[in-house]
């Protein structure tokens, strides 16, 4: 512990990674009316060059935001001295307590201090979502991590299933309204405290040489260090198709350096560290624009109005305008080289990998009947991903469809939920000699079939049916797997037709909103239970 505290003190005061005059602390706090305790939801302390003037509190919310009868939320910032920040870190590390100057004590979770990590300014780094100016400077982070997440679990008892409660949504929304931090995205950081050290000693620019084999790296030191040129180690490597096209490293004190990397036709990574290599001062990955395709189109001078006549009673007629353009008349820069062939192979390999993972599969190509194969693939998905349960969202789902798919879940006791529907298409049909004349007939028929199915295997099955004004009508079909990291597949058509004609089984890129939509309709159908 002593070594970690000493390392923190060195980062804050020695000028090795940055020059700092104060520390800005922003906290998201939940306050209880019952016990008057202020509990930490998330805190970030950022070391900055700005001078310290006073430790006056700044409230980002005009008034506390009511989250529940007992809890209210506030977002507050305070600027403290560097010495105060060092003392806060040391007290938290040794005693597990947090009290900023002139503030009441903040109740923090049991926290584990982590070794410092370096965060590059390359776009796409997840932790960027909670840092200040992450694309301007690289940073070192000293983080205290809450491994138990007791407050988070109080607000979201079913977190392990991936549920998001109304309380949690209120907290997320209230925070996003006032500061650029998405607590839903960084839910693993709930109750944590992060100290951020932006590496502000130098600014770096990188560009490519015309020969396609060299890059230029320009470094500008902080004005207070500009006179004393420091030697740094500059490393660079270029990767393409998981291979290294070139790599180089130099030690220099010059403000402009030309590096031979062999080829700039890939992902270029530049890393700058102190001469000893102990401290990283900069790292970023980028691609250079070395060819541009130009396409010129001519805009037609007159707009065309398209009139769409009415179709039936529910679709009135309407009009819209189109601004026509001519086809391509000039193309420049679109040429082929060895990378084009590699890219084609990579795309083909990606497509085959998607098919192997059943993330994009076509059935019925060329008119083939692949219903059996499609059902087998659905059962395979359920075997792979059903550890937290399986939900089927299909307006035409029958007991036979449920038996053919959800009963394949190998995990005993997990929830199997189905939302089906009753519509005019069902009314009047005869199923196994039973004529369906009403919603009650349909429910009685489904119950009879489900009772027979459950004689084969007892499962935790629930079925609800949308009809009339209960819930709302739906069209798309999905197979959903709940959990902390939910997964959702779009079926393209109902289970009973999948693969009979051309249809596509495709993994949904953003599953959480689809799962939430299913759960919203599920709750709306609380009075429309078919089973149990």
């Amino acid at each position: 512990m002593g070594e970690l505290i000493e390392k923190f003190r060195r980062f804050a005061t020695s000028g090795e990674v940055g020059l700092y005059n104060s520390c800005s602390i922003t906290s998201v706090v939940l306050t209880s009316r019952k016990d008057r305790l202020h509990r930490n939801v998330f805190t970030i302390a950022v070391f900055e060059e700005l001078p310290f003037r006073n430790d006056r509190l700044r409230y980002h919310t005009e008034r506390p935001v009511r989250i529940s009868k007992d809890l209210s939320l506030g977002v507050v910032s305070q600027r403290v001295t560097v010495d105060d920040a060092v003392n806060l870190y040391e007290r938290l590390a040794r005693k597990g307590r947090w009290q900023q100057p002139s503030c009441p004590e903040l109740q923090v979770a049991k926290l584990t201090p982590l070794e410092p990590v370096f965060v590059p300014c390359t776009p796409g780094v997840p932790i960027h979502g909670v840092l200040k100016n992450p694309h301007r400077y690289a940073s070192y982070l000293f983080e205290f991590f809450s491994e138990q997440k007791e407050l988070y679990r109080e607000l979201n008892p079913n977190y392990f299933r991936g549920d998001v409660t109304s309380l949690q949504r209120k907290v997320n929304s209230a925070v996003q309204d006032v500061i650029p931090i998405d607590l839903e995205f960084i839910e693993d950081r709930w109750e944590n405290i992060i100290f951020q050290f932006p590496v502000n000693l130098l600014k770096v620019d990188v560009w490519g040489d015309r020969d396609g084999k060299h890059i230029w790296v320009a470094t500008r030191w902080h004005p207070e260090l500009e006179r004393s040129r420091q030697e740094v180690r500059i490393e660079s490597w270029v990767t393409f198709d998981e291979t290294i096209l070139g790599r180089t490293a130099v030690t220099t004190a010059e403000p402009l350096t030309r590096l031979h990397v062999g080829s700039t036709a890939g992902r270029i990574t530049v890393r700058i560290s102190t001469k000893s290599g102990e401290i990283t001062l900069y790292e970023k990955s980028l691609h250079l624009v070395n060819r541009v395709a130009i396409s010129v189109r001519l805009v037609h001078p007159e707009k065309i109005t398209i009139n769409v006549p009415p179709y039936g009673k529910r679709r009135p007629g309407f009009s819209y305008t189109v601004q026509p353009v001519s086809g391509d008349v000039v193309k420049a820069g679109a040429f082929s080289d060895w990378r084009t062939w590699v890219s084609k192979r990579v795309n083909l390999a990606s497509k085959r990998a998607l098919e192997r993972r059943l993330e994009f599969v076509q059935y019925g190509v060329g008119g083939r009947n692949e219903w059996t194969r499609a059902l087998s693939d659905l059962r395979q998905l359920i075997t792979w991903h059903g550890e937290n349960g399986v939900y089927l969202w299909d307006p035409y789902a029958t007991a036979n469809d449920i038996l053919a798919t959800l009963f394949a879940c190998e995990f005993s006791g997990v929830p199997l939920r189905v939302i089906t529907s009753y519509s005019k298409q069902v009314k009047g049909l005869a199923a196994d000699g039973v004529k369906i004349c009403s919603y009650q007939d349909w429910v009685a028929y489904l119950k009879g079939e489900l009772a027979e199915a459950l004689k084969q295997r007892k499962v935790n099955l629930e079925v609800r049916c949308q009809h009339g004004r209960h819930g709302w009508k739906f069209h798309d079909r999905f197979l959903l797997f709940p959990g902390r990291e939910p997964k959702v597949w779009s079926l393209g058509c109902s289970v009973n037709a999948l693969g009979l004609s051309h249809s596509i089984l495709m993994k949904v890129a953003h599953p959480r909103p689809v799962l939430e939509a299913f759960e919203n309709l599920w709750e709306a159908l609380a009075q429309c239970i078919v089973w149990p």
Side-chain angles (χ1 to χ4, degrees):
M1 183 63 68
E3 292 181 2
L4 192 57
I5 293 173
E6 184 56 37
K7 185 181 294 185
F8 182 92
R9 188 184 301 275
R10 182 161 56 91
F11 270 55
T13 59
S14 69
E16 292 182 0
V17 297
L19 300 176
Y20 312 118
N21 298 308
S22 64
C23 181
S24 175
I25 304 174
T26 300
S27 296
V28 179
V29 181
L30 279 179
T31 301
S32 169
R33 296 179 66 187
K34 293 179 181 178
D35 52 27
R36 294 296 177 182
L37 291 179
H38 306 285
R39 302 179 68 179
N40 175 54
V41 177
F42 177 75
T43 294
I44 181 167
V46 185
F47 284 83
E48 296 178 338
E49 283 190 82
L50 292 175
F52 172 78
R53 290 191 175 91
N54 57 65
D55 57 12
R56 184 177 65 250
L57 294 178
R58 176 193 171 195
Y59 295 92
H60 296 269
T61 50
E62 292 184 8
R63 60 182 61 88
V65 179
R66 182 63 59 86
I67 301 301
S68 67
K69 290 182 178 180
D70 179 51
L71 297 175
S72 59
L73 179 139
V75 181
V76 60
S77 294
Q78 182 187 38
R79 187 169 298 280
V80 301
T81 66
V82 171
D83 288 340
D84 283 337
V86 172
N87 292 334
L88 283 169
Y89 181 90
E90 182 171 2
R91 190 179 189 207
L92 184 61
R94 294 191 185 279
K95 300 181 179 180
R97 302 186 68 176
W98 182 275
Q99 186 168 9
Q100 295 168 215
S102 306
C103 295
E105 183 170 356
L106 182 64
Q107 298 297 311
V108 297
K110 183 179 180 181
L111 299 170
T112 301
L114 305 182
E115 289 289 332
V117 297
F118 178 81
V119 182
C121 45
T122 301
V125 179
I127 194 65
H128 280 181
V130 299
L131 302 184
K132 189 170 184 179
N133 296 325
H135 305 301
R136 184 179 179 186
Y137 297 113
S139 295
Y140 277 93
L141 303 184
F142 284 74
E143 184 168 12
F144 286 87
F145 206 100
S146 168
E147 297 176 341
Q148 301 300 319
K149 296 282 186 281
E150 293 181 359
L151 176 58
Y152 178 83
R153 290 192 291 177
E154 284 179 23
L155 298 181
N156 187 4
N158 295 323
Y159 75 97
F160 56 90
R161 288 171 42 190
D163 292 354
V164 180
T165 63
S166 60
L167 287 178
Q168 194 178 349
R169 289 194 183 97
K170 287 180 181 179
V171 171
N172 295 339
S173 177
V175 172
Q176 278 195 295
D177 285 344
V178 293
I179 57 175
I181 289 180
D182 187 349
L183 286 177
E184 182 178 1
F185 177 72
I186 58 123
E187 61 180 6
D188 58 316
R189 259 61 188 194
W190 268 68
E191 302 174 69
N192 289 12
I193 295 179
I194 295 177
F195 289 84
Q196 178 185 354
F197 290 89
V199 183
N200 61 16
L201 296 184
L202 79 167
K203 293 184 178 180
V204 181
D205 292 312
V206 179
W207 65 91
D209 198 290
R210 291 183 177 181
D211 65 1
K213 297 181 180 179
H214 293 79
I215 62 170
W216 291 90
V217 179
T219 55
R220 289 176 293 161
W221 287 97
H222 190 284
E224 294 187 16
L225 304 175
E226 197 170 11
R227 293 183 179 179
S228 58
R229 287 186 179 180
Q230 301 183 32
E231 279 195 318
V232 293
R233 179 176 175 81
I234 305 177
E235 301 172 78
S236 182
W237 58 93
V238 183
T239 58
F240 183 78
D241 192 30
E242 304 301 326
T243 62
I244 297 178
L245 302 184
R247 188 180 191 114
T248 188
V250 298
T251 300
T252 179
E254 295 300 318
L256 184 62
T257 305
R258 185 172 185 253
L259 298 176
H260 182 270
V261 292
S263 172
T264 59
R267 178 183 172 94
I268 301 170
T269 301
V270 177
R271 177 187 295 157
I272 301 177
S273 56
T274 54
K275 183 179 179 180
S276 64
E278 181 182 1
I279 296 177
T280 303
L281 302 174
Y282 173 90
E283 182 174 317
K284 189 172 185 177
S285 297
L286 62 146
H287 288 84
L288 298 179
V289 178
N290 52 22
R291 54 177 180 170
V292 178
I294 302 174
S295 177
V296 179
R297 294 183 176 184
L298 301 179
V299 178
H300 197 277
E302 296 181 2
K303 294 182 179 181
I304 297 176
T305 300
I306 306 297
N307 296 307
V308 181
Y311 187 84
K313 297 180 179 180
R314 299 176 60 187
R315 292 171 55 179
F318 62 95
S319 301
Y320 63 94
T321 60
V322 178
Q323 181 81 66
V325 296
S326 68
D328 297 332
V329 295
V330 177
K331 285 188 176 181
F335 58 89
S336 176
D337 63 5
W338 64 276
R339 287 170 294 170
T340 305
W341 289 100
V342 174
S343 297
K344 288 180 179 178
R345 191 264 305 153
V346 170
N347 291 337
L348 180 59
S350 176
K351 178 176 177 292
R352 289 170 177 167
L354 290 175
E355 291 176 347
R356 285 195 297 271
R357 297 193 299 266
L358 302 179
E359 294 181 7
F360 183 89
V361 187
Q362 296 187 74
Y363 306 105
V365 177
R368 295 193 300 270
N369 183 338
E370 295 188 290
W371 179 74
T372 302
R373 176 193 168 206
L375 283 187
S376 177
D377 285 348
L378 294 186
R379 291 193 293 270
Q380 182 62 68
L381 286 174
I382 291 169
T383 299
W384 285 344
H385 306 295
E387 65 270 14
N388 296 310
V390 188
Y391 301 164
L392 176 62
W393 196 357
D394 184 343
Y396 299 108
T398 64
N400 188 279
D401 299 331
I402 298 169
L403 181 62
T405 55
L406 269 59
F407 275 59
C409 184
E410 299 175 353
F411 302 92
S412 299
V414 298
L416 307 179
R417 293 180 176 179
V418 180
I419 296 180
T420 185
S421 69
Y422 170 79
S423 62
K424 291 181 179 179
Q425 287 81 357
V426 176
K427 187 175 181 180
L429 295 178
D432 297 337
V434 179
K435 191 172 182 180
I436 308 299
C437 298
S438 65
Y439 170 70
Q440 288 73 22
D441 292 342
W442 178 239
V443 170
Y445 175 72
L446 281 180
K447 282 187 174 181
E449 283 203 317
L450 290 172
E452 287 297 318
L454 285 162
K455 289 180 181 178
Q456 301 183 53
R457 183 191 177 194
K458 299 298 181 183
V459 294
N460 182 15
L461 177 66
E462 298 177 84
V463 181
R464 297 183 182 182
C465 183
Q466 186 277 326
H467 69 101
R469 295 184 179 180
H470 297 278
W472 47 88
K473 292 183 179 180
F474 58 94
H475 177 271
D476 293 338
R477 287 80 159 165
F478 297 100
L479 188 67
L480 308 95
F481 301 96
R484 287 185 59 77
E485 297 180 2
K487 299 178 178 64
V488 174
W489 269 258
S490 171
L491 303 182
C493 61
S494 291
V495 171
N496 53 40
L498 188 64
L500 293 179
S501 57
H502 184 260
S503 46
I504 295 176
L505 175 69
M506 182 167 58
K507 187 178 182 181
V508 176
H510 302 285
R512 177 75 66 184
V514 182
L515 179 61
E516 290 178 358
F518 176 94
E519 291 173 338
N520 289 338
L521 181 55
W522 182 263
E523 293 300 322
L525 298 175
Q527 305 302 318
C528 305
I529 298 173
V530 176
W531 193 271

